Amino acid sequence: MTFVLEKYRIVGETASELAAGVETAVSEGRLSPGAPLPPIRELARQARVSPSTAAAAYRLLRERGVVETAGRRGTRVRPRPASTSREDIRIEVPPGVRDLSQGNPDASLLPPLHDALAAAARAHEERPAMYGTHDDADLLALAAARLRRDGVPPGELAITSGTLDAVERVLATALRPGDPIAVEDPGWSSLLDLVAVLGLRPVPVGVDDEGPLPDDLGRALRAGVRAVVVTARAQNPTGAAVTAARAAALRELLAAHPDVLLVEDDHGDGFVDVPLHPLAGVTTRWVLVRSTAKAFGPDLRLAPVTGDRATLDRLRGRQRLAVGWVSHLLQRAVAHLWRTGAVDTAAVAASYRERRDGLVTALAGRGVRAHGRTGLNVWVPVADESAAITRLLARGWAAAPGARNRVRTPPAIRVTVSTLRPADLAPLAADLAAAVEAPSRGRYG
């Protein structure tokens, strides 16, 4: 079916097709910033679709940051399509307020880098990396051994500049604008922004402390999602970690849809102490990504990636067209840290667990439910995010608004525990309890 609007003609029978047509017209300059779009019923009449289909198309365009609804002015093309809409949801942290909103690791738990960087420099002097050099063989061998140790099936290997770098290249080569993708809700804000930038349609999958909910994933798969993204451990923002029982249920669902691309994020490797229960290999196309950013520090960010041959070949091809490779100085430094056991994973995980469990327990004692099974954060459901954050700021603490991470789940705030000390837990719990109101009940709400 078709409709004509100003300088372009759009063909489509579904919401995804209509939205993709508008987005193409915007990107090609046939629909200028600020240009009005027809009302929903007019769009439905011209396109010969139902009003609900037309409304769904506009909703997709709003989610992707292409259009905005401006009251009586109707729906218009945004002056500047959004690219980081969720990270733009920020709060100003006044002087003297403890900032628990950033999601950073505890700097005191990061390994010293002098020896690792010196070893990398010596290796560089002996074997300088030039154009055409492959990924560091020592790092690849260490990564492969660690993956086998954790039960990840054999696959191709590549090195990328962190989790988001790997996921962007995989999704960009496997999917097209308008394709539906299952994402955790609540989930990682950077991934949700990436999905919007790529023009993909997010299909939210609820999460509890054991990972994605099977019923929700089953519905998403039956609805035809082309890809699924799952966080194995230390889920951001809730701290969820996939258990053995949950992994078995998710694998059974995925096995019935072998053509779906599975993207597994295991950024918790190196700072969590619960075992990995991988889903990798149950579908034909799959990748598992392991970032070193939280265990070794964000400035030493790289990520070994494993997966099926076709997906990894596409990832490497896309990488060659951009940065080419990850610095071999960084690769050799990470290899040295792994080889020498520079991080005591059990001790680091225990330190974070003490802070998370301490805060969750202290909040429970005051009648406030919170979640934080693994990782760096505690997720606190609230009735009103803005009110809770404002009250908490007045008491000297800054937390992150859950709106960055949510699609459909109820309001919440995220508290990063990395800088907390035992003496902080009781006063923080008291201030949090005073700042939040009783939230509605639900998965994480």
Side-chain angles (χ1 to χ4, degrees), residues 216-227:
D216 280 14
L217 179 60
R219 279 191 289 270
L221 291 168
R222 291 190 296 273
V225 294
R226 298 288 307 282

Side-chain angles (χ1 to χ4, degrees), residues 232-246:
R233 302 178 284 187
Q235 199 260 8
N236 185 358
T238 69
V242 177
T243 61
R246 182 62 53 83

